[in-house]
Amino acid sequence: MNAHVRPVDSGQPRHDWTLAEVEALFELPFTELVFRAAQVHRVWFDPTELQLSQLLSVKTGGCPENCGYCSQSQSFQTGVAATRLMEAQAVIAAAAEAKAGGAQRFCMGAAWRDLKDRDLPKVAAMIAGVKALGLETCATLGMLTPDQARGLKAAGLDYYNHNLDTGPEYYDQVVTTRTYQDRLDTLAAVREAGMSTCCGGIVGMGETRRDRAGLLHQLATLPAHPDSLPVNDLMPIAGTPLGGSTPVDGLEFVRMIAVARIVCPRSVVRLSAGREHMSRELQALCFLAGANSIFVGARLLTTANPDKDTDEGLLADLKMRPMTMGVSQPA
Ligand code: SAM
Ligand code: DTB
Ligand code: SF4
């Protein structure tokens, strides 16, 4: 056994993971890795339960950032039209539909570099209205100042999504208009405001396994592990620099989920974007390896997701059900 791999994972959260240890987990025999992840999963969660989130793009396109995977950057010709910020009532109506469809958390996404104070009242009205429906609230609006984070918390925001996207060494190949440190600073503002963090990344952007380990190493050594940890499989967008990337092999994707589960044992790990092009069997392997959240609803932000009937059929066949336990506590 590789010297960097401990023979047993206790399932207790650790914040002192080394990059070598994370890389060594990726190198385990597949069945051994998935078994260990499944064991850790059972320490903190009922493995038959899935947390269900639904997305809505409340402001689409025209973004000044140059994230090389994104359909919404104004730097690339992707055919996605820019829209204005939606009215709060329309957002709340969409959230009510999402709740009726079974969603537990409603996540509002805006194609912004950062939140502008002038937009805060309208965003706060959306958050308050969605929360009043009895849904958990999440938003992803770009970078935040500590004051803005406190304002969102006061409006009733439970979660803020802000991804590190990839490992620090590959990051410059993906985006150059904001730094890794900028992202860490926004995450710190979110934590300090008392909100739960949703933070993960994307695989399939041409990164190496070391870069994937680098992302998970960053997440596992944050002052608090993310409460939600989304692992997105790149949705390739024609016209973006990364639109032609070679897809990551399904087994490597499962390894990413399994290592995420082991290094952040209390995080709700989301099998996030990319299910539209995954088989039922691959998704089931991800759940076995510790994924316990999905996006529901036929649309993510600008791309497709499996529809309600497809997911209901999958959950029924797997005998899995919506998560009943409360929000996980930061580790
Ligand atoms: N503009 C805000 C920001 O970037 O902070 C919020 C929205 S942004 C679309 C949220 C996250 O979605 C990105 O950080 C990225 O991880 C993920 N994402 C965006 N486009 C994607 C794609 N084509 N495939 C997979 N994940 C994607
Ligand atoms: C996250 O990690 N994935 C979501 C959410 N956070 C905002 C976004 C996925 C977007 C997929 C591409 C699209 O639909 O445009
Ligand atoms: Fe803008 Fe977010 Fe897309 Fe980057 S990921 S281009 S910040 S919308």
Side-chain angles (χ1 to χ4, degrees), residues 222-240:
L222 287 169
H225 291 169
D227 299 279
S228 279
L229 195 168
V231 181
N232 296 280
D233 197 15
L234 179 71
M235 297 294 284
I237 309 287
T240 61

Side-chain angles (χ1 to χ4, degrees), residues 69 110 112 140 142 162-163 165 178 202 232 234-235 237 273 301:
Y69 47 76
W112 285 328
T140 181
H162 201 66
N163 290 340
D165 279 352
R178 76 170 86 155
I202 309 178
N232 296 280
L234 179 71
M235 297 294 284
I237 309 287
L301 291 173

Side-chain angles (χ1 to χ4, degrees), residues 106-125:
F106 193 68
C107 181
M108 295 156 269
W112 285 328
R113 169 182 167 75
D114 47 18
L115 176 61
K116 301 285 184 291
D117 285 341
R118 63 168 184 268
D119 291 318
L120 193 50
K122 202 163 164 184
V123 170

